[in-house]
Amino acid sequence: MTRIVAGSAGGRVIKVPTVNTRPTSERVREALFSRLEHRGYVADCNVLDLFAGSGALGLEAASRGAAHVELVESSRPAAKLIRQNAANLGLDVQVHTAKAESWVTLPPRREFDLVLLDPPYALEEAVLGQILFGLMPHVADDALVVVERAKRSPEPRWPDGLELQDFRDWGDTRVWSAIHRSPGH
């Protein structure tokens, strides 16, 4: 059972796709969002959840007061379930049915303060690197980009402008955080 940890929808259960998703555990989401909130990266922020899967990360951000949340998920059934969960929870989010690698090539419509990437563990590192590079026009200065992977995965290849802040391990999960710094900042 997957539930929203805190905020306006705290404690409420969300439905998750039955195949091809690996929702971020409640324990990891609780620890991650506690750190993000402490650093000022949730409330009143524009949040992007790439590889949304169940939508747990983006819906958690919306529940905790993010100003705007967009979720990108390639699976049509999963995207439909995210929309249903958002409606059931009374959360206003935008859901895009697209591959992350395609979505990042679109012209930016807004700058995001927080980007959450929880790709399939099997995603090739080179593809993740391309997505991070393509993401750059979509992120605000001082934006935080968070990548969740298996603990055994190598550190992502950060493009110029993203500098690693830290990483944390929770069980078999490793989460890296990088901050966007524009040139001369």
Side-chain angles (χ1 to χ4, degrees):
M1 180 167 44
T2 300
R3 74 177 97 235
I4 301 299
V5 177
S8 65
R12 304 225 1 234
V13 174
I14 61 170
K15 294 179 182 174
V16 299
T18 54
V19 294
N20 297 329
T21 60
R22 177 193 34 78
T24 300
S25 76
E26 194 170 316
R27 185 173 77 101
V28 171
R29 273 186 292 117
E30 185 171 14
L32 172 63
F33 275 90
S34 175
R35 295 192 74 235
L36 292 171
E37 285 181 320
H38 177 73
R39 295 175 70 183
Y41 278 106
V42 181
D44 301 320
C45 287
N46 292 329
V47 178
L48 175 63
D49 180 0
L50 285 176
F51 300 100
S54 69
L57 292 174
L59 294 172
E60 187 75 43
S63 177
R64 291 174 183 245
H68 178 84
V69 178
E70 293 189 35
L71 301 97
V72 179
E73 172 52 45
S74 63
S75 163
R76 287 192 186 288
K80 181 178 178 184
L81 197 56
I82 294 167
R83 287 183 189 97
Q84 290 171 348
N85 281 327
N88 290 343
L89 297 172
L91 299 174
D92 183 22
V93 300
Q94 289 183 358
V95 181
H96 306 282
T97 307
K99 289 186 172 219
E101 45 274 56
S102 299
W103 190 90
V104 297
T105 65
L106 298 172
R109 291 175 308 179
R110 76 174 61 246
E111 289 186 331
F112 293 94
D113 307 299
L114 173 63
V115 180
L116 304 164
L117 294 94
D118 182 11
Y121 284 172
L123 184 76
E124 295 176 25
E125 296 303 316
V127 175
L128 177 58
Q130 291 170 345
I131 292 166
L132 288 169
F133 179 81
L135 188 60
M136 296 306 290
H138 299 272
V139 295
D141 197 29
D142 293 326
L144 196 66
V145 176
V146 177
V147 177
E148 179 181 333
R149 302 286 275 163
K151 188 161 53 172
R152 67 187 177 280
S153 300
E155 179 181 337
R157 286 183 238 149
W158 304 107
D160 288 344
L162 279 180
E163 57 184 64
L164 180 66
Q165 291 293 289
D166 62 23
F167 68 88
R168 292 282 196 270
D169 292 337
W170 291 292
D172 293 335
T173 301
R174 177 165 287 165
V175 177
W176 287 272
S177 299
I179 196 159
H180 178 237
R181 300 282 193 214
S182 60
H185 187 225

